[in-house]
Amino acid sequence: MRKDLVRTSKFLSLVLRHKPETIGLRLDKNGWADVEELLAKARMSLDFAMLAEVVETNDKKRFSFNAEKTKIRANQGHSINVDLKLEPLRPPDVLYHGTATRFWRSISEKGLIKGNRQYVHLSKDTDTAEKIGARHGKPLILKIESGRMFQNGHRFFLSENGVWMIAHVPVNYLKKMTDAENKRPPRLQKVKSCGVLCVRDASCKQFLLLRHPHRWDIPKGHMEKNESEHACALRELFEETGIRERDMLLDPDFRFEHTYFPKYKRFGGERVEKTVIVFLGRLLSPVQIVTTEHSTFQWVDWQSSQHFSSDTIDKLLKKARQHM
Ligand code: HQG
């Protein structure tokens, strides 16, 4: 949404749902404000055309005009006491509520309470619930047995813009949704690999690559438990090339980080979230490279226009060239 529309929508939420008094606006008992009065009192540049654009284009249809467009109100979300004149309705059998994991302990004791608002808000779908939950922290989706609540006499209301509302959801009608129920893909396994871009000054500036069966790569490898990034990078460098820390000057101002999602053999061909961290090491004197796990190695001219791998090395070289 355009910035000015968002700003206006936020302003309207404030004065039509929560604090009309901040601009001295009066709402009637059904939540309606007089459009002319609102435009006159708004402390921002706001005209009728803008108001109409927000009402029409708002992503959640948060506001409505009356038929003559002389009055405007929020469709739901009020903390002030207004009577939207909604009739109780039969809800779908299941509804959802998006909250944050940190509220779970309290919710599991008291159920869902309306807090400052007039109602507890429920949605028809899990995507909406997840977005609302994410505004408060790590999202947690609750599944509400709305059909059973209705049968037992709880009254549900449906706002003009499709939000289901109820005074309270007791604990025995709600439960946490599992990832499987939410059909979310399982969390990706995370893998971290650290290495060193080794640079030497020979006939010209060059960097070191090692030969893998199907590609070239810098010396790097997986981080071990409780290992720091630096320690991992230096260990891998030594194991794969024989270069020791004392052979190099590690640039304290350079750290490259990149995350991508390759498929991994060791995880049965599943995708993983892989983060590569690379430091920059300048060799102090000539060293003999001793490869242990690789068939061969090469020193590549610093300015070479060769492409190696778009996922890591090319991005790394770009950053290192800018840095040096
Ligand atoms: C939580 C949006 C601890 C509740 C949507 C929520 C929505 C508890 C927070 C509208 C609790 C209140 C409302 C308990 C409930 N213990 N925490 N017993 N019971 N809570 O902002 O639902 O985009 O008042 O889970 O359309 O997040 O703004 O309500 O996390 O209808 O236009 O207390 O906001 O509209 O937070 O959002 P909120 P909400 P807009």
Side-chain angles (χ1 to χ4, degrees), residues 59-78:
D59 55 347
K60 284 196 187 162
K61 299 273 171 245
R62 291 180 174 90
F63 315 101
S64 293
F65 285 126
N66 63 348
E68 300 79 30
K69 300 198 172 168
T70 53
K71 291 179 181 183
I72 185 170
R73 75 174 177 186
N75 289 323
Q76 42 79 224
H78 296 84

Side-chain angles (χ1 to χ4, degrees), residues 17 60 62 76 97-99 103 106-107 110-113 117 121 132 135-136 163:
R17 283 174 170 178
K60 284 196 187 162
R62 291 180 174 90
Q76 42 79 224
H97 178 83
T99 186
F103 296 145
S106 164
I107 292 174
K110 297 182 201 148
L112 285 173
I113 52 176
R117 305 215 193 224
H121 294 219
I132 293 173
R135 300 200 299 203
H136 299 285
V163 177

Side-chain angles (χ1 to χ4, degrees), residues 190-196 212 215 217-224 227-230 232-233 235-236 240 255-260 264 266 273-279 312:
K190 289 191 180 181
V191 175
K192 200 167 186 181
S193 174
C194 306
V196 180
H212 288 245
R215 66 194 159 89
D217 203 350
I218 59 156
K220 68 174 170 54
H222 294 129
M223 214 158 149
E224 291 177 359
E227 195 176 33
S228 72
E229 292 175 355
H230 263 113
C232 170
R235 176 181 53 73
E236 289 290 341
E240 295 186 345
R255 179 179 174 281
F256 170 82
E257 175 171 338
H258 180 60
T259 299
Y260 60 115
Y264 245 53
R266 73 153 87 161
E273 180 182 324
K274 177 163 183 174
T275 300
V276 173
I277 312 284
V278 184
F279 300 99
T312 47

Side-chain angles (χ1 to χ4, degrees), residues 31-196:
W32 293 105
D34 185 84
V35 168
E36 271 185 25
E37 186 186 344
L38 170 66
L39 293 178
K41 290 180 173 170
R43 293 199 200 113
M44 62 187 299
S45 104
L46 184 62
D47 57 12
F48 182 80
M50 180 64 149
L51 209 54
E53 197 174 352
V54 171
V55 170
E56 276 156 32
T57 64
N58 190 262
D59 55 347
K60 284 196 187 162
K61 299 273 171 245
R62 291 180 174 90
F63 315 101
S64 293
F65 285 126
N66 63 348
E68 300 79 30
K69 300 198 172 168
T70 53
K71 291 179 181 183
I72 185 170
R73 75 174 177 186
N75 289 323
Q76 42 79 224
H78 296 84
S79 57
I80 45 179
N81 200 11
V82 296
D83 177 6
L84 295 173
K85 293 251 177 246
L86 299 173
E87 294 296 326
L89 277 183
R90 183 195 189 99
D93 285 348
V94 174
L95 284 169
Y96 302 94
H97 178 83
T99 186
T101 49
R102 66 195 164 100
F103 296 145
W104 173 245
R105 181 198 279 257
S106 164
I107 292 174
S108 67
E109 284 163 10
K110 297 182 201 148
L112 285 173
I113 52 176
K114 58 191 184 174
N116 292 330
R117 305 215 193 224
Q118 272 196 304
Y119 297 101
V120 172
H121 294 219
L122 307 173
S123 27
K124 288 187 294 291
D125 62 280
T126 52
D127 283 358
T128 309
E130 180 156 21
K131 276 185 207 143
I132 293 173
R135 300 200 299 203
H136 299 285
K138 187 166 178 232
L140 170 69
I141 304 177
L142 303 177
K143 193 169 165 181
I144 315 293
E145 286 184 81
S146 34
R148 195 160 69 84
M149 287 184 75
F150 179 76
Q151 277 165 13
N152 293 343
H154 292 268
R155 286 167 14 124
F156 287 79
F157 302 92
L158 180 62
S159 76
E160 191 67 30
N161 60 340
V163 177
W164 283 94
M165 301 182 294
I166 186 156
H168 174 226
V169 180
V171 184
N172 55 321
Y173 295 105
L174 60 84
K175 64 172 191 267
K176 283 198 218 182
M177 260 185 87
T178 59
D179 280 358
E181 275 183 300
N182 196 15
K183 295 195 191 66
R184 276 195 278 188
R187 289 250 157 77
L188 287 186
Q189 190 91 32
K190 289 191 180 181
V191 175
K192 200 167 186 181
S193 174
C194 306
V196 180

